[in-house]
């Protein structure tokens, strides 16, 4: 169980800023997901924590001990790589035992630990198998067992499930979460998949252009995005530029009624975040509703219906459970409204 | 699936192999049982005399020396090329390109030119000894060739560019995260090549060493130009007997025995390496 503190961590590759002044406190036993699009700096941050890259500025402390001068092989940080990076010349048992042998742990203790990890990761019976002969999921398990063999102070995972099919990915996500709770190891998981981050993390850290946009629980991130980037990145939110005065909320000439809910006390120009599932739809123009628009896209994704609705040039996203709203087709005129209680204005964008 | 074209191509390849390799080989085996005739290269007969000469002692010694020097130079070539490539792939793309072009240029040079270059470099008057003398490192500079060391240098130079260029794409394209994983698992960086990179490439390196071994066994110019007569390999001896002494049957018998020994050694190496893999 270890606490990690990052303060002002920065990294450049030539003229490109990979990380800029990243500060973060990670509590002992916490499961953190670093979430962001490609090139946002999440893997670089993970590699700096693992000691595989040096930061240009800032400091890292693990249990109040500075990490910067500690080489990678002395940090006792377990890492699962995106490519898994299993040793192709060693079988399953030897892959798992590698770190233990490097630490000169006795053969008996090594065997006992390997047996324990094989059982923990469901690999009993695969001890002598070559890693090349394993399936994708089995290889993932070997990589996890190998990284956990030394009882690491920190457990890092760099997009480990990105190459797996959806079913297996979902299954392994559950296994990893269960394993992490069981071992209570402080874990940092890098992903670009927001649903993966939502389902795994105790806390999500969203990175953009090398900086932290927002850190919070999955619920906070989803319900209360603090920046335009987070609002757009998480959950396909609709961002409406509105103007609020004492009596009305105005959007593109529409009067959306008096300010209420979380925006009741806000005034001036604001950016309203409307989640696709917060929108209520009516199949016809109805001026008693807030907005009128035209369906430009409609598709069914499993149990959900998704639509794009053009409202005076701005496309709004709408999502609902099948049969819970009106049946609409492309080109239909529709009216939109919403429940104000779940809406939110971006705090940094008020004028 | 129409197999006509592949079969025709296969037959062509077999035909070429038969005409240019199997038939001359069979002819050589037959000639090895003939009697020597200085006036006409050979006299048709059936005798084991040539093979008895081989096992008389002198040629056995030459064979052992040949196998040893060739095996050592093959190991040196592969070791040098592997470590050099591990370093070169870490350079910038510009410098990597420079090295690849340099190695390709080295490959274009004939054995004779490489041999002459080393003759000059190792000579007393213009080469390394003179430089060492001028620097005050060597009090009494003398020519370093012909010698066993000079011959080995020549053999290694011949194989180095070929092996390096074969290894380059494999080493440049390797998954470096495997080595990083080893570091996170407690391996000091200076031990990673030994504990991880080398074992991963071991099969490739064994195959390359065997290939180099066979290639260097047949090298003729380097031992003649850079080695002393006491360093000469069987290739030189075979040529000396067959062409110098006009004793084609003895030359053929020596070649047949070398072929059998080489084949047996290669089979043994493959067997051992396969057993290790299992």
């Amino acid at each position: 169980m270890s606490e990690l503190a990052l303060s002002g961590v920065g990294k450049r590759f030539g003229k490109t800023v990979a990380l800029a002044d990243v500060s973060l406190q990670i509590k002992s036993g916490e499961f953190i997901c670093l979430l962001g699009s490609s090139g946002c700096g999440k893997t670089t941050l993970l590699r700096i924590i693992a000691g595989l890259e040096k930061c240009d500025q800032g400091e890292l402390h693990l249990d109040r001990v500075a990490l910067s001068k500690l080489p990678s092989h002395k940090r006792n940080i377990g890492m699962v790589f995106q490519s898994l990076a299993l040793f192709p010349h060693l079988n399953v048992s030897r892959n798992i035992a590698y770190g233990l042998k490097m630490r000169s742990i006795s053969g008996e203790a090594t065997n006992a630990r390997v047996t324990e990890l094989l059982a923990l990761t469901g690999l009993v019976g695969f001890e002598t198998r070559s890693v090349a002969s394993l399936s994708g999921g089995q290889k993932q398990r070997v990589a996890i067992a190998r990284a956990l063999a030394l009882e690491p102070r920190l457990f890092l995972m760099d997009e480990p499930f990105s190459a797996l099919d959806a079913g297996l990915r979902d299954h392994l996500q559950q296994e990893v979460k269960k394993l992490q709770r069981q071992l209570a190891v402080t874990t940092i998981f890098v992903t670009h998949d927001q649903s993966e981050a939502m389902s795994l993390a105790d806390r999500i850290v969203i990175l953009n252009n090398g900086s932290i946009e927002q850190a919070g629980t999955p619920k906070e991130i989803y319900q209360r995005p603090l920046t335009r980037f987070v609002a757009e990145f998480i959950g396909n939110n609709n961002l409406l530029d509105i103007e609020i005065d004492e009596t009305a909320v105005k959007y593109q000439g529409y009067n959306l009624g008096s300010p209420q809910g979380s925006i009741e006390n806000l005034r001036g120009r604001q950016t309203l975040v409307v989640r696709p599932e917060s929108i209520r739809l009516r199949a016809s123009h109805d001026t008693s509703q807030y907005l009128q628009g035209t369906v430009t896209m409609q598709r069914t994704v499993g149990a959900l219906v998704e639509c794009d609705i053009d409202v005076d040039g701005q496309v709004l996203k709408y999502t609902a459970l099948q049969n819970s709203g009106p049946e609409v087709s492309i080109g239909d005129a529709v009216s939109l409204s919403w429940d104000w209680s779940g809406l939110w204005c971006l705090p940094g964008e008020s004028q | 699936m129409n197999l006509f074209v592949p079969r025709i191509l296969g037959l062509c390849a077999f035909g070429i192999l038969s005409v240019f390799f199997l038939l001359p080989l069979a002819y050589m085996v037959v000639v090895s049982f003939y009697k020597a005739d200085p006036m006409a290269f050979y006299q048709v007969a059936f005798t084991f005399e040539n093979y008895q000469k081989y096992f008389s002692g002198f040629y056995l010694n030459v064979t052992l020396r040949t196998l040893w020097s060739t095996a050592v130079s093959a190991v040196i070539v592969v070791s040098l090329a592997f470590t050099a490539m591990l370093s070169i792939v870490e350079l910038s793309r510009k410098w990597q390109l420079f090295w690849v072009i340099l190695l390709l240029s080295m490959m274009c040079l004939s054995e004779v030119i490489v041999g002459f270059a080393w003759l000059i470099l190792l000579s007393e008057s213009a080469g390394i000894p003179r430089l060492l003398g001028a620097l005050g490192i060597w009090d009494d500079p003398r020519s370093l060739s012909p010698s066993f060391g000079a011959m080995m240098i020549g053999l290694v130079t011949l194989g180095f560019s070929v092996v390096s260029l074969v290894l380059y794409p494999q080493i440049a394209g390797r998954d470096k995260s495997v080595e990083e994983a080893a570091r996170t698992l407690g391996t000091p960086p200076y031990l990673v090549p030994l504990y991880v990179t080398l074992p991963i490439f071991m099969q490739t390196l064994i195959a390359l060493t065997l290939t180099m071994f066979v290639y260097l066994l047949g090298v003729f110019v380097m031992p003649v130009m850079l080695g002393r007569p006491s360093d000469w390999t069987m290739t030189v001896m075979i040529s000396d007997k067959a062409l110098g002494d006009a004793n084609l049957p003895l030359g053929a018998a020596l070649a047949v025995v070398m072929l059998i020994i080489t084949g047996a050694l290669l089979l043994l190496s493959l067997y051992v390496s396969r057993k290790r893999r299992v």
Side-chain angles (χ1 to χ4, degrees), chain B residues 231-251:
Chain B
D231 302 319
W232 284 359
T233 58
M234 274 302 278
T235 310
V236 182
M237 291 295 171
I238 292 165
S239 173
D240 189 46
K241 288 295 142 195
L243 303 174
D245 295 355
N247 189 346
L248 211 55
L250 179 59

Side-chain angles (χ1 to χ4, degrees), chain B residues 7-28:
Chain B
R7 278 178 185 160
I8 290 292
L9 287 173
L11 274 174
C12 287
F14 182 72
I16 291 167
L17 194 70
S18 303
V19 171
F20 292 104
F21 178 69
L22 292 178
L23 288 179
L25 181 69
Y27 180 65
M28 186 177 74

